[in-house]
Amino acid sequence: MDKLAVNRTKDAVEMMLPYVALGDLRRRWRQKSTPLHPDVLKKVERFKRIKIPKDKPLCIRGSDDGLLVYGVALNDEELVNNLFKSVQAAPIPKHYMFKGKKRSEYLSWHWTRWAKYNLVPFMSREYKDAQEEANKFFKDNEKVFQTMSAILRHCAPGVFKRVQNYPLPKGVRRLCGAWMGCAINKGGNNPNQTNAHRDASEAQYGYSGLISCGDYTAGGLILWELEIVLETEPGDIVIFQDAVITHSNERAEGTRSSVVCFTQENVYSYWNRKYNMRLRRKERKKKKINRTDGGKVAKVN
């Protein structure tokens, strides 16, 4: 069984999807998001709709027993409301406009430590632009991130251990508990709906943590390869592999914001170069079968 799979919990609502496997999704992972097939887009109205129970976790596995989704209701109205207020209080990013044009129709920040376009992790430009406000945001919502990290530790202990074991360069630290940082989605011009996408730059063998907040109804989380819609409510926490699962949101009624905690794939690569961290994707490549010049089949050692 996959060592990164969820610990079995007696009180969790367990589901198994026989038509999708976590291992297969990982094998098809590329550091570039690819569009969905038109036939898949047509099927969305027939997707199974699921709610996260208020009194117990929801655990969805693939046919190979790998953890696909783990959902928990936070059940703390004060924490959720404070998170929403913090998101709304965040300043508009300085680089939201580029050469007089909007970068996107969705207003968001990336306050994180990452290694984007660089070999060594560093603080994101958006974090540096609003460092004082960002630090206040993380301090005010520290309990939320601690709770999300505790859920990750329970449902994916292997991932949790890996991201905690390796150090970072001087002056660089994890901002969201176990994760390097987060994307903060306030909404902006199109606050209630996001296009289908994979967060392809995030860790192939990691998990991200999403929490939604605000005053809204509807706005379910569509998980395309899984053919399900999670009917999330404010305060629902979803731990899932957004790097290998295409996802989007249905239109919500009201105001919906969200925070997504993540660690970028390039940070794993940094740990591999610096500390010889074991990268499963490299091991997989070594096991691929190649043909020799003589037409024989041989495994690459």
Side-chain angles (χ1 to χ4, degrees), residues 24-291:
D24 181 56
L25 293 175
R26 284 171 169 167
R27 280 189 292 273
R28 289 188 277 137
W29 173 88
R30 298 290 184 276
Q31 262 191 315
K32 183 178 180 181
S33 190
T34 52
L36 291 167
H37 193 279
D39 290 344
V40 177
L41 296 172
K42 293 177 183 177
K43 294 170 62 177
V44 65
E45 293 184 0
R46 302 196 299 272
F47 284 4
K48 184 178 181 64
R49 306 188 73 88
I50 303 171
K51 287 188 176 182
I52 296 174
K54 292 297 182 185
D55 58 343
K56 59 184 65 177
L58 169 70
C59 178
I60 302 176
R61 305 172 186 274
S63 59
D64 57 355
D65 208 36
L67 174 64
L68 297 169
V69 181
Y70 196 85
V72 180
L74 184 56
N75 291 327
D76 191 320
E77 187 175 354
E78 182 179 0
L79 281 182
V80 178
N81 287 341
N82 287 341
L83 177 65
F84 179 66
K85 291 176 183 177
S86 294
V87 171
Q88 296 305 306
I92 295 176
K94 291 182 179 180
H95 304 285
Y96 180 56
M97 303 289 290
F98 181 71
K99 294 184 178 180
K101 295 183 180 180
K102 290 177 290 190
R103 287 183 177 270
S104 72
E105 292 299 316
Y106 203 75
L107 190 59
S108 63
W109 298 259
H110 294 85
W111 287 345
T112 184
R113 266 67 170 172
W114 57 11
K116 197 169 187 178
Y117 314 121
N118 199 41
L119 293 177
V120 179
F122 62 96
M123 295 178 292
S124 68
R125 186 175 183 179
E126 292 172 29
Y127 172 84
K128 291 180 179 179
D129 284 344
Q131 188 168 345
E132 184 176 342
E133 294 93 337
N135 287 340
K136 184 177 187 306
F137 174 86
F138 291 121
K139 182 178 180 180
D140 290 347
N141 298 286
E142 184 177 5
K143 191 172 180 179
V144 172
F145 299 127
Q146 288 177 345
T147 300
M148 295 175 71
S149 297
I151 295 170
L152 176 69
R153 182 177 186 176
H154 171 73
C155 73
V159 170
F160 180 85
K161 183 178 179 180
R162 283 161 67 84
V163 298
Q164 295 293 313
N165 273 353
Y166 296 92
L168 294 162
K170 187 176 180 180
V172 177
R173 61 186 177 87
R174 296 163 180 82
L175 295 173
C176 296
W179 292 279
M180 291 295 106
C182 63
I184 303 167
N185 302 309
K186 182 175 182 178
N189 299 310
N190 187 7
N192 297 318
Q193 192 172 9
T194 56
N195 297 325
H197 68 286
R198 288 186 303 108
D199 294 283
S201 64
E202 294 177 25
Q204 178 189 11
Y205 284 88
Y207 288 89
S208 294
L210 178 152
I211 180 170
S212 55
C213 55
D215 182 12
Y216 71 91
T217 56
L221 176 64
I222 306 173
L223 302 171
W224 290 88
E225 288 86 357
L226 312 190
E227 298 184 8
I228 64 175
V229 179
L230 281 183
E231 296 180 337
T232 58
E233 297 180 0
D236 282 351
I237 295 171
V238 182
I239 306 294
F240 75 116
Q241 285 222 282
D242 58 353
V244 301
I245 299 174
T246 307
H247 53 283
S248 59
N249 285 102
E250 296 179 314
R251 186 168 185 82
E253 297 297 329
T255 303
R256 180 187 186 279
S257 296
S258 65
V259 176
V260 183
C261 302
F262 67 93
T263 296
Q264 195 186 40
E265 175 74 8
N266 286 350
V267 175
Y268 280 64
S269 298
Y270 164 76
W271 284 328
N272 172 253
R273 292 190 302 272
K274 186 77 172 177
Y275 304 104
N276 200 29
M277 179 187 191
R278 182 181 170 194
L279 288 182
R280 290 175 174 237
R281 69 177 188 273
K282 289 192 174 184
E283 292 174 356
R284 175 171 59 84
K285 289 179 180 179
K286 289 181 181 179
K287 293 178 182 178
K288 283 185 178 180
I289 296 175
N290 287 349
R291 289 194 176 275

